[in-house]
Amino acid sequence: MTPDSTIDTIDTIDTIDDVLVVGAGAMGTQIGAAYALAGYRVTTGDLAPEALDQSRDEAQRRLRRLAEKGTFSRDEVDSALERMMYTTDSLEAARTTDFVLEAAVERIDIKRQLFADLDEAAPEHVILATNSSTIPSSLLMDATARPDRVCNMHFFNPALVMNCVEVVRNPQTSDATVEAALGMVHRLGKQPVRLNKEIPGFVANRLLGALRNEALRLEADGVASYQDIDVAARTALGHPMGPFELMDLVGIDVSYLIRLSEYEQSGDPADLPHPSVQKLYEQGRYGRKNGRGWYEYTS
Ligand code: CAA
């Protein structure tokens, strides 16, 4: 397979019907639901059966809410839910899929092993994409024999709501793979942002990171409380939520692991997780997902 195998891959754009999402966390759950709403048959894979149960409940709750609000009809939501399947054996599901999106934990060793295993299992034409924004696909492609069909497709949290998807190629990703990914983003009704080369964090997270770092510095220096910094971001800048609220939404654990992965790649101590974030992480205050982060949540 060469990076220029354009015709083969363009043929697959129309034939992507079955999608495998690996990882049943918050991102995998809502990405899977977005694909199902767009007409794809979706299998969500995770080693932990309880994660799959939670994912199924959450997807049902979110999609039924969209029907209540009239964003989609009851029939559209019911048929999307019928197209959603769950498995603890992602590799078995990979054998019959047309496209894989990996949304597992932000650990390069785990992702490399997963990509190697998925490469063995999935048919040759299948694109293997990762939702990671910190682990570029060039760090995963050589774990596979199909580097031209490996790329990043980065969704934002909450994925059912946020319209942006960053499509990022590695130096060996074929044009056809990029086109196929962009085509899928359009079919999802979302807005693609195409990156022509890899950079850690991609575009949106780099913008966000600059704001978050400044917010953490202001809080640590005692300039203002995290609550007031959030108020400033919302009321002075018109952001839908402040940087501390956003960290809680994304997950303190996710933010922490992302920074750690950035540091592992750059070796720059400035990329290490901020001490305040590390403290919350060590206290198990992961944000909305477990009811405690910067803020406390009752439901
Ligand atoms: N999941 C799915 N849908 C959600 C949601 C969630 N967690 N939270 C809110 N919504 C939806 C709901 O449908 C809700 O409507 P209803 O309750 O009427 O059904 C609608 O959004 C509006 O929600 P709210 O009225 O509760 O609150 P809001 O107006 O503040 O909107 C928000 C919530 C959409 C999350 C909004 O605050 C927002 O856009 N925040 C910024 C999110 C953001 O920046 N995301 C990027 C994070 S960075 C990232 O993801 C990259 C990475 O690599 C880590």
Side-chain angles (χ1 to χ4, degrees):
M1 205 62 57
T2 70
D4 293 318
S5 52
T6 312
I7 294 166
D8 284 358
T9 318
I10 281 184
D11 279 351
T12 70
I13 296 177
D14 294 332
T15 56
I16 294 177
D17 293 319
D18 286 275
V19 167
L20 169 64
V21 177
V22 181
M27 291 304 291
T29 297
Q30 292 206 16
I31 293 169
Y35 270 96
L37 275 176
Y40 295 92
R41 282 188 298 275
V42 181
T43 303
T44 302
D46 200 295
L47 291 172
E50 58 280 10
L52 292 172
D53 288 344
Q54 272 178 19
S55 180
R56 186 190 283 107
D57 290 351
E58 174 72 1
Q60 282 179 0
R61 195 168 67 81
R62 292 287 175 195
L63 294 191
R64 294 212 164 111
R65 175 78 191 131
L66 292 178
E68 280 162 25
K69 281 186 354 185
T71 317
F72 288 87
S73 70
R74 172 68 62 192
D75 282 352
E76 284 170 324
V77 163
D78 284 346
S79 56
L81 288 170
E82 277 166 25
R83 284 191 289 275
M84 297 183 75
M85 285 143 286
Y86 297 86
T87 182
T88 50
D89 192 346
S90 295
L91 297 183
E92 187 53 37
R95 291 184 200 291
T96 52
T97 198
D98 301 317
F99 170 75
V100 179
L101 184 85
E102 173 275 319
V105 68
E106 289 288 277
R107 288 235 334 248
I108 191 155
D109 51 338
I110 291 176
K111 287 191 200 282
R112 279 185 67 83
Q113 186 60 54
L114 198 49
F115 268 65
D117 293 344
L118 288 166
D119 184 48
E120 289 270 306
E124 203 181 338
H125 69 279
V126 168
I127 295 172
L128 305 178
T130 172
N131 178 52
S132 180
S133 63
T134 43
I135 300 178
S137 70
S138 57
L139 297 180
L140 304 174
M141 68 180 182
D142 63 331
T144 78
R146 64 182 90 196
D148 60 314
R149 290 172 187 195
V150 176
C151 68
N152 289 72
M153 273 181 76
H154 178 223
F155 291 73
F156 292 82
N157 191 338
L160 273 168
V161 180
M162 306 308 282
N163 273 332
C164 182
V165 182
E166 292 172 318
V167 174
V168 190
R169 65 189 314 157
N170 69 63
Q172 291 199 45
T173 308
S174 68
D175 290 344
T177 297
V178 173
E179 292 307 320
L182 294 172
M184 254 188 300
V185 177
H186 284 299
R187 185 168 156 195
L188 291 173
K190 294 192 181 288
Q191 178 66 52
V193 170
R194 180 203 293 243
L195 271 75
N196 299 319
K197 60 179 181 180
E198 293 177 334
I199 182 167
F202 306 149
V203 169
N205 274 359
R206 289 181 82 87
L207 299 176
L208 251 172
L211 181 77
R212 184 199 53 228
N213 290 347
E214 192 56 35
L216 285 164
R217 193 164 21 237
L218 292 169
E219 196 274 338
D221 288 350
V223 174
S225 67
Y226 61 86
Q227 295 95 329
D228 275 351
I229 297 169
D230 279 344
V231 170
R234 276 189 270 108
T235 57
L237 306 177
H239 291 190
M241 51 174 52
F244 297 96
E245 292 165 321
L246 189 54
M247 273 184 262
D248 276 359
L249 175 72
V250 169
I252 299 292
D253 53 337
V254 173
S255 294
Y256 175 82
L257 290 172
I258 283 176
R259 293 310 300 257
L260 216 54
S261 158
E262 281 169 1
Y263 169 69
E264 278 163 12
Q265 287 173 59
S266 72
D268 181 353
D271 286 337
L272 276 168
H274 190 280
S276 310
V277 173
Q278 179 162 2
K279 191 168 157 197
L280 290 176
Y281 177 79
E282 285 166 0
Q283 290 170 342
R285 299 181 70 102
Y286 291 165
R288 283 197 195 187
K289 66 174 74 167
N290 69 350
R292 304 178 319 143
W294 286 99
Y295 294 88
E296 305 270 339
Y297 301 86
T298 47
S299 63

